[in-house]
Amino acid sequence: MRVKFYRNIFIENIVKDLEYSSLNKGINFEISDYSNIFNQEMFKNYEIVFFIIDFTKIKNKKIYLKEIKKNFDYLKKKNINYLFLYYSENNLVADKYSYNLKHTFSLNLKKKLLKKSILFDNKSYLKLTNLIEICLTIFTPYKLRVIAFDLDNTLWDGVIGEDTKIKINNFQKKNLILINKLIEKGFLISLISKNNLIDVRKFMNKGYMKKIFNKSKKYISWDDKSNSINKLIKWSKLNQNNFLFFDDSENETLRISHNFPKMLISNAKDHGKIFFILSIMNNLSKKNKVSSLRRIDLENNEKRKKLQNESITEFIKSTSPKVVIFKNSTKQVNRIEEMSNKINQFNLSDERYDKKQINSFLKSKAYDIYTFSLKDRFGDSGIIGYLLIYKFNNQIQIKDIKISCRALGRDLEIFFINKVLMKNGLNKNDIILNYKKTNRNKPVNNILIKNFNNLKKIKKSKIKNLKYFNYVQVRFC
């Protein structure tokens, strides 16, 4: 991914820190010359563009803002993400010449990040770097999936159980509305706070807060927040770099940053900054039915887990799974692309495909794509995986298989593979596996070794019905 910074100030130190950060692997950063002038040709070949501008150096603000608006319209048309960060004596977003600029944030309004001019003190520099890093993650498709919030002095002002009056300011009201919108769009929301759960439930039992309380994963107790976050990571089956955590306490954010170095942490004292971050997330994301199933499915996994002390056959009998296997479905291209780019654990090849590549597979006689949907007595998981088969020189290769982590642990991974191969008469010869080891795909390694005793091929003798297959309802489409 290529990222360009346009600036009229010194930002080399910030970009160096971004380059060294482990969160930004695979990103190439480039910095423009010192300039106040931009044209659309300059934006080509970049996925993300940042503007960092000191407006005290701009002579004609009205003309400059008109040009900026044209450039923003062009970037939006070309699907290039952008962020406009500025220093000014006035709030440009409220300015009559600003044309309702979006993705725009003041660096100095009410002394948010910068106190005077564009010269950074150490704290301001760190805050700006943190904001850019969060936005980089937001702009990276499928990366940010969990947002966790402290409560006191974050979602509201005051401490429940101590302060007689708890207030919610205008930004906090807007933030509560945005959190509800993000829940509807499939983001996992978690509340992590040192508080009395009964007191919090009583306070949040109204309006926007009630929905957040009911539809979030809650770790509200006197337990250490790092322990709570660790539990949340295990529950969600995601990696810490898929998380963003807001907390108003500097001591807590420092401790959590130390314990979870790949997690994005933001100080929540600036409620306007939280609003800005949540607004960008809301603007860039669409309502996603599959992602919306995730929270419910993860909660149902807790019920399934109670049954897993039984044998595989008894577990399958108890859960009554129903599987639908689709072949070359053109209606599922978006979901296949999403799974290809999101799934890391049950991930055979580590290859990532976009819509253009997926459509070429669907048109080619050399490839077949099988997708799987899964229901059981606890709920509907939706489309949870795909298998890509490549046929060449009378040989069959499983080029890729990816299965959502929330569907793992139900003993159905081998069912998907074997059923597809047997149904289509592909079990007459050994099957080649396009396996590539990564830092995160140990689950696929373990299951292949356990069932096939091989990471490079599946022997034809291993492609067969297992006893528990008889208790899975399956339909091919």
Side-chain angles (χ1 to χ4, degrees), residues 31-55:
I31 309 175
S32 72
D33 295 330
Y34 289 90
S35 176
N36 297 323
I37 301 169
F38 316 110
N39 63 69
Q40 293 174 3
E41 289 295 315
M42 299 167 70
F43 305 135
K44 288 184 177 179
N45 304 317
Y46 297 103
E47 285 80 20
I48 302 172
V49 175
F50 286 92
F51 301 88
I52 303 182
I53 303 297
D54 182 353
F55 257 80

Short mmCIF file of all heavy atoms in Angstrom, two decimals, residues 31-55:
data_model
loop_
_atom_site.label_atom_id
_atom_site.label_comp_id
_atom_site.label_asym_id
_atom_site.label_seq_id
_atom_site.Cartn_x
_atom_site.Cartn_y
_atom_site.Cartn_z
N ILE A 31 6.74 11.54 1.07
CA ILE A 31 6.46 12.91 1.52
C ILE A 31 6.68 13.86 0.36
O ILE A 31 7.67 13.75 -0.37
CB ILE A 31 7.39 13.31 2.69
CG1 ILE A 31 7.37 12.25 3.80
CG2 ILE A 31 6.98 14.66 3.26
CD1 ILE A 31 8.35 12.51 4.92
N SER A 32 5.78 14.81 0.21
CA SER A 32 5.92 15.80 -0.85
C SER A 32 6.97 16.84 -0.47
O SER A 32 7.42 16.91 0.69
CB SER A 32 4.58 16.51 -1.08
OG SER A 32 4.31 17.39 0.01
N ASP A 33 7.34 17.68 -1.43
CA ASP A 33 8.13 18.86 -1.12
C ASP A 33 7.25 19.83 -0.34
O ASP A 33 6.02 19.69 -0.29
CB ASP A 33 8.61 19.54 -2.41
CG ASP A 33 9.57 18.64 -3.19
OD1 ASP A 33 10.27 17.85 -2.53
OD2 ASP A 33 9.59 18.74 -4.42
N TYR A 34 7.87 20.84 0.26
CA TYR A 34 7.08 21.86 0.95
C TYR A 34 6.27 22.62 -0.09
O TYR A 34 6.83 23.25 -0.99
CB TYR A 34 8.00 22.84 1.68
CG TYR A 34 8.66 22.24 2.90
CD1 TYR A 34 9.89 21.61 2.79
CD2 TYR A 34 8.05 22.29 4.15
CE1 TYR A 34 10.51 21.04 3.90
CE2 TYR A 34 8.66 21.73 5.26
CZ TYR A 34 9.89 21.11 5.12
OH TYR A 34 10.49 20.56 6.23
N SER A 35 4.94 22.53 0.01
CA SER A 35 4.12 23.17 -1.02
C SER A 35 2.71 23.39 -0.51
O SER A 35 2.19 22.62 0.29
CB SER A 35 4.09 22.32 -2.28
OG SER A 35 3.24 22.88 -3.24
N ASN A 36 2.08 24.46 -1.01
CA ASN A 36 0.67 24.70 -0.75
C ASN A 36 -0.18 24.39 -1.98
O ASN A 36 -1.38 24.59 -1.98
CB ASN A 36 0.44 26.18 -0.37
CG ASN A 36 1.17 26.53 0.90
OD1 ASN A 36 1.26 25.73 1.81
ND2 ASN A 36 1.72 27.74 0.96
N ILE A 37 0.47 23.90 -3.04
CA ILE A 37 -0.22 23.71 -4.32
C ILE A 37 -0.32 22.21 -4.62
O ILE A 37 0.65 21.47 -4.52
CB ILE A 37 0.56 24.42 -5.46
CG1 ILE A 37 0.65 25.91 -5.16
CG2 ILE A 37 -0.14 24.19 -6.80
CD1 ILE A 37 1.61 26.65 -6.05
N PHE A 38 -1.53 21.79 -5.01
CA PHE A 38 -1.76 20.40 -5.36
C PHE A 38 -2.49 20.33 -6.69
O PHE A 38 -3.25 21.23 -7.04
CB PHE A 38 -2.62 19.70 -4.30
CG PHE A 38 -2.21 20.01 -2.89
CD1 PHE A 38 -3.01 20.80 -2.08
CD2 PHE A 38 -1.03 19.52 -2.38
CE1 PHE A 38 -2.63 21.08 -0.78
CE2 PHE A 38 -0.64 19.80 -1.09
CZ PHE A 38 -1.44 20.59 -0.29
N ASN A 39 -2.29 19.23 -7.41
CA ASN A 39 -3.12 18.96 -8.58
C ASN A 39 -3.41 17.47 -8.63
O ASN A 39 -2.72 16.66 -8.01
CB ASN A 39 -2.45 19.44 -9.87
CG ASN A 39 -1.16 18.69 -10.15
OD1 ASN A 39 -1.17 17.50 -10.46
ND2 ASN A 39 -0.04 19.39 -10.03
N GLN A 40 -4.44 17.11 -9.37
CA GLN A 40 -4.94 15.75 -9.34
C GLN A 40 -3.95 14.72 -9.85
O GLN A 40 -3.99 13.56 -9.44
CB GLN A 40 -6.26 15.69 -10.13
CG GLN A 40 -7.36 16.49 -9.44
CD GLN A 40 -8.64 16.58 -10.25
OE1 GLN A 40 -8.74 16.00 -11.32
NE2 GLN A 40 -9.61 17.32 -9.74
N GLU A 41 -3.05 15.12 -10.73
CA GLU A 41 -2.03 14.20 -11.24
C GLU A 41 -1.13 13.69 -10.12
O GLU A 41 -0.58 12.60 -10.18
CB GLU A 41 -1.19 14.88 -12.32
CG GLU A 41 -1.92 15.12 -13.63
CD GLU A 41 -2.30 13.83 -14.32
OE1 GLU A 41 -1.45 12.92 -14.40
OE2 GLU A 41 -3.45 13.71 -14.77
N MET A 42 -0.99 14.52 -9.08
CA MET A 42 -0.09 14.17 -7.98
C MET A 42 -0.63 13.01 -7.13
O MET A 42 0.12 12.39 -6.39
CB MET A 42 0.14 15.40 -7.09
CG MET A 42 0.78 16.57 -7.80
SD MET A 42 0.67 18.11 -6.85
CE MET A 42 1.78 17.78 -5.51
N PHE A 43 -1.94 12.74 -7.23
CA PHE A 43 -2.55 11.75 -6.35
C PHE A 43 -2.57 10.35 -6.93
O PHE A 43 -2.95 9.40 -6.25
CB PHE A 43 -3.99 12.17 -6.01
CG PHE A 43 -4.12 13.54 -5.43
CD1 PHE A 43 -5.10 14.40 -5.87
CD2 PHE A 43 -3.25 13.97 -4.45
CE1 PHE A 43 -5.23 15.67 -5.33
CE2 PHE A 43 -3.36 15.24 -3.90
CZ PHE A 43 -4.35 16.09 -4.34
N LYS A 44 -2.21 10.22 -8.20
CA LYS A 44 -2.30 8.91 -8.86
C LYS A 44 -1.36 7.90 -8.18
O LYS A 44 -0.30 8.25 -7.69
CB LYS A 44 -1.96 9.05 -10.33
CG LYS A 44 -3.05 9.74 -11.14
CD LYS A 44 -2.71 9.77 -12.62
CE LYS A 44 -3.85 10.39 -13.43
NZ LYS A 44 -3.53 10.45 -14.86
N ASN A 45 -1.76 6.65 -8.20
CA ASN A 45 -0.95 5.54 -7.70
C ASN A 45 -0.83 5.48 -6.18
O ASN A 45 0.05 4.81 -5.65
CB ASN A 45 0.45 5.54 -8.32
CG ASN A 45 0.41 5.51 -9.83
OD1 ASN A 45 -0.37 4.77 -10.42
ND2 ASN A 45 1.24 6.33 -10.47
N TYR A 46 -1.71 6.21 -5.46
CA TYR A 46 -1.71 6.15 -4.00
C TYR A 46 -3.06 5.67 -3.51
O TYR A 46 -4.10 6.02 -4.05
CB TYR A 46 -1.39 7.52 -3.39
CG TYR A 46 -0.02 8.02 -3.74
CD1 TYR A 46 0.15 9.00 -4.72
CD2 TYR A 46 1.12 7.48 -3.15
CE1 TYR A 46 1.42 9.44 -5.08
CE2 TYR A 46 2.38 7.91 -3.50
CZ TYR A 46 2.53 8.90 -4.47
OH TYR A 46 3.78 9.32 -4.82
N GLU A 47 -3.04 4.85 -2.44
CA GLU A 47 -4.29 4.39 -1.84
C GLU A 47 -4.80 5.35 -0.77
O GLU A 47 -5.99 5.44 -0.52
CB GLU A 47 -4.11 2.99 -1.21
CG GLU A 47 -4.05 1.84 -2.20
CD GLU A 47 -2.69 1.68 -2.85
OE1 GLU A 47 -1.69 2.18 -2.30
OE2 GLU A 47 -2.63 1.06 -3.93
N ILE A 48 -3.85 6.04 -0.11
CA ILE A 48 -4.21 6.97 0.97
C ILE A 48 -3.40 8.25 0.80
O ILE A 48 -2.20 8.21 0.50
CB ILE A 48 -3.91 6.36 2.37
CG1 ILE A 48 -4.68 5.04 2.55
CG2 ILE A 48 -4.28 7.34 3.47
CD1 ILE A 48 -4.30 4.28 3.82
N VAL A 49 -4.07 9.39 1.01
CA VAL A 49 -3.41 10.69 0.91
C VAL A 49 -3.68 11.47 2.20
O VAL A 49 -4.83 11.61 2.61
CB VAL A 49 -3.91 11.49 -0.31
CG1 VAL A 49 -3.30 12.89 -0.31
CG2 VAL A 49 -3.58 10.76 -1.60
N PHE A 50 -2.63 11.96 2.83
CA PHE A 50 -2.75 12.83 4.00
C PHE A 50 -2.32 14.25 3.63
O PHE A 50 -1.29 14.44 2.98
CB PHE A 50 -1.85 12.35 5.15
CG PHE A 50 -2.35 11.12 5.85
CD1 PHE A 50 -1.94 9.86 5.45
CD2 PHE A 50 -3.22 11.22 6.92
CE1 PHE A 50 -2.39 8.72 6.09
CE2 PHE A 50 -3.68 10.08 7.58
CZ PHE A 50 -3.26 8.83 7.16
N PHE A 51 -3.10 15.24 4.05
CA PHE A 51 -2.72 16.64 3.93
C PHE A 51 -2.45 17.14 5.34
O PHE A 51 -3.31 17.01 6.23
CB PHE A 51 -3.84 17.47 3.31
CG PHE A 51 -4.27 17.03 1.95
CD1 PHE A 51 -5.25 16.06 1.79
CD2 PHE A 51 -3.70 17.58 0.81
CE1 PHE A 51 -5.66 15.65 0.54
CE2 PHE A 51 -4.11 17.18 -0.45
CZ PHE A 51 -5.09 16.22 -0.59
N ILE A 52 -1.28 17.71 5.58
CA ILE A 52 -0.98 18.33 6.88
C ILE A 52 -0.53 19.76 6.59
O ILE A 52 0.58 20.00 6.10
CB ILE A 52 0.10 17.54 7.65
CG1 ILE A 52 -0.35 16.08 7.82
CG2 ILE A 52 0.35 18.18 9.01
CD1 ILE A 52 0.61 15.22 8.60
N ILE A 53 -1.41 20.70 6.89
CA ILE A 53 -1.26 22.06 6.39
C ILE A 53 -1.32 23.09 7.52
O ILE A 53 -2.22 23.04 8.37
CB ILE A 53 -2.36 22.39 5.35
CG1 ILE A 53 -2.33 21.39 4.19
CG2 ILE A 53 -2.24 23.82 4.84
CD1 ILE A 53 -1.05 21.40 3.38
N ASP A 54 -0.36 24.00 7.51
CA ASP A 54 -0.37 25.16 8.40
C ASP A 54 -1.05 26.31 7.63
O ASP A 54 -0.48 26.88 6.70
CB ASP A 54 1.06 25.54 8.78
CG ASP A 54 1.10 26.71 9.74
OD1 ASP A 54 0.04 27.31 10.00
OD2 ASP A 54 2.21 27.04 10.21
N PHE A 55 -2.28 26.66 8.04
CA PHE A 55 -3.04 27.67 7.30
C PHE A 55 -2.55 29.09 7.54
O PHE A 55 -2.96 30.01 6.83
CB PHE A 55 -4.54 27.55 7.65
CG PHE A 55 -5.33 26.89 6.58
CD1 PHE A 55 -5.34 25.50 6.48
CD2 PHE A 55 -6.05 27.62 5.65
CE1 PHE A 55 -6.04 24.87 5.49
CE2 PHE A 55 -6.76 26.99 4.64
CZ PHE A 55 -6.76 25.62 4.56
#
